[in-house]
Amino acid sequence: MKKNIILLFAIILVVSCGTKHNQEQEEKSQAETTPAIITAGGTITEIVHALGHGDAIVATDRTSTYPAKMQELPSIGYRNQIQAEGILSLKPDWILVEENYLNNDVLTQLKNSGKKVFVLEKPQSEETAVALITKIGEIFEEKEKADVLIEQLNKDLEALSVFKEQNKEQPKVAFIMSRGPEMVFLAGKDTFAEAMIALSGAQPVAVEFEGLKPLTPEALPALNPDYILLFESGFQASGGKEGLRSIQGITATTAWKKDQLIAMDGHYLSSFGPRMGQAAIDLFQKTHP
């Protein structure tokens, strides 16, 4: 009996060691076959990480602020600063880049380098967010994980719909981008700001221009928004509310008089990635107290 017990333990030990060895070999094999990745575009970076491949990213751009540890990686720069030579010197296997983020010459150089280059659309709606998650899931052969992200996004948007049904008020919201007293821009049509404000159940201020336009002294008093929305970084760089006082016309608005200035993380607000629904809920709650 004693011999049988000893034999049984010996068999378990051998099997256990063999299983551990196989797992280690499998992990080593996966590490060796995982491509080195460079991302250009914060939404792409967030999705790649959410799919479980963040450790394969060897460098990224300045907009990739989530998760925070991505900013510890070597930076390839920002938009027009980015050069093909800098990217290629980091020896990536794959390059995932947001459409229209790099200039055409740089993109052509990357495509001619022999590296795998994926050019992906920047989402600005529920449909394009789902499409991007699906596409990146296909690239990494992670359909199940992509489906989980999409399912959670849909749940968030369903919750948002309930909130909007319960409170149908549509306060006017203006998004301004402040880079100092002399560099303040107002968001117009076809911008992430217009899309996010509308998604959140508020009303973007009515303007006729597209994109971002320098703010004129008479614009804010004429539009008179109930809320003014900014990136957190711009709010802080301007010196908070008192620093924003120097923006001409801002003190005449309802938003200023009622202390209804909203500062949100830039990537969270504008990325339209997996957390898009959460960001819209947060904005709804800030504009529908």
Side-chain angles (χ1 to χ4, degrees):
M1 181 69 177
K2 187 174 181 181
K3 287 182 179 179
N4 289 340
I5 293 173
I6 293 171
L7 179 61
L8 178 60
F9 274 118
I11 292 170
I12 292 172
L13 183 61
V14 170
V15 172
S16 175
C17 289
T19 302
K20 185 178 180 181
H21 177 72
N22 290 340
Q23 288 175 341
E24 289 174 350
Q25 286 294 103
E26 184 178 344
E27 289 173 3
K28 183 179 179 183
S29 176
Q30 287 178 345
E32 289 173 349
T33 57
T34 300
I37 301 163
I38 288 180
T39 55
T43 308
I44 294 171
T45 305
E46 179 175 348
I47 294 172
V48 171
H49 186 273
L51 292 175
H53 293 269
D55 289 344
I57 301 175
V58 297
T60 188
D61 73 311
R62 281 174 49 197
T63 71
S64 297
T65 58
Y66 184 86
K69 68 177 184 179
M70 292 292 103
Q71 288 291 282
E72 298 172 7
L73 297 172
S75 175
I76 60 172
Y78 178 74
R79 292 192 178 274
N80 291 337
Q81 303 170 352
I82 299 173
Q83 300 297 320
E85 293 80 4
I87 292 176
L88 296 175
S89 69
L90 295 166
K91 303 188 185 320
D93 299 305
W94 292 1
I95 302 163
L96 280 69
V97 57
E98 182 183 297
E99 188 177 30
N100 299 322
Y101 190 77
L102 304 179
N103 69 52
N104 290 333
D105 289 341
V106 171
L107 189 57
T108 299
Q109 284 179 272
L110 294 176
K111 288 180 176 179
N112 291 338
S113 70
K115 307 293 184 181
K116 272 193 174 182
V117 179
F118 302 89
V119 180
L120 304 163
E121 182 181 0
K122 173 75 169 77
Q124 203 160 285
S125 67
E126 175 187 352
E127 294 76 19
T128 51
V130 169
L132 182 59
I133 295 169
T134 300
K135 178 62 179 176
I136 297 178
E138 291 172 355
I139 291 171
F140 287 92
E141 299 181 357
E142 296 284 9
K143 183 182 184 303
E144 289 184 6
K145 290 181 181 179
D147 288 345
V148 170
L149 293 180
I150 293 168
E151 182 181 1
Q152 183 58 56
L153 173 58
N154 288 333
K155 286 181 180 178
D156 292 337
L157 292 172
E158 287 168 10
L160 175 64
S161 295
V162 173
F163 289 137
K164 290 195 289 187
E165 188 62 31
Q166 293 171 343
N167 188 336
K168 296 184 178 181
E169 289 184 18
Q170 290 187 309
K172 288 192 298 180
V173 180
F175 175 83
I176 60 174
M177 182 177 288
S178 175
R179 294 175 179 168
E182 306 302 319
M183 293 185 68
V184 183
F185 301 86
L186 177 67
K189 296 180 178 179
D190 296 327
T191 60
F192 80 84
E194 180 191 50
M196 179 54 75
I197 290 167
L199 177 64
S200 72
Q203 178 185 353
V205 289
V207 295
E208 296 303 318
F209 63 88
E210 297 180 357
L212 294 170
K213 182 179 178 181
L215 185 66
T216 58
E218 64 275 5
L220 284 178
L223 295 169
N224 193 25
D226 300 301
Y227 292 86
I228 292 176
L229 178 62
L230 306 96
F231 284 156
E232 213 165 55
S233 57
F235 183 77
Q236 293 172 354
S238 299
K241 182 178 180 180
E242 285 309 304
L244 293 172
R245 184 186 292 275
S246 62
I247 296 175
Q248 295 186 49
I250 195 170
T251 58
T253 65
T254 298
W256 181 273
K257 293 173 182 176
K258 292 188 175 182
D259 197 20
Q260 293 180 162
L261 306 179
I262 301 170
M264 294 180 67
D265 177 79
H267 174 68
Y268 182 53
L269 183 67
S270 67
S271 68
F272 282 79
R275 299 178 298 150
M276 175 185 74
Q278 297 171 28
I281 289 173
D282 283 353
L283 184 54
F284 172 88
Q285 292 173 336
K286 292 176 189 299
T287 55
H288 296 76

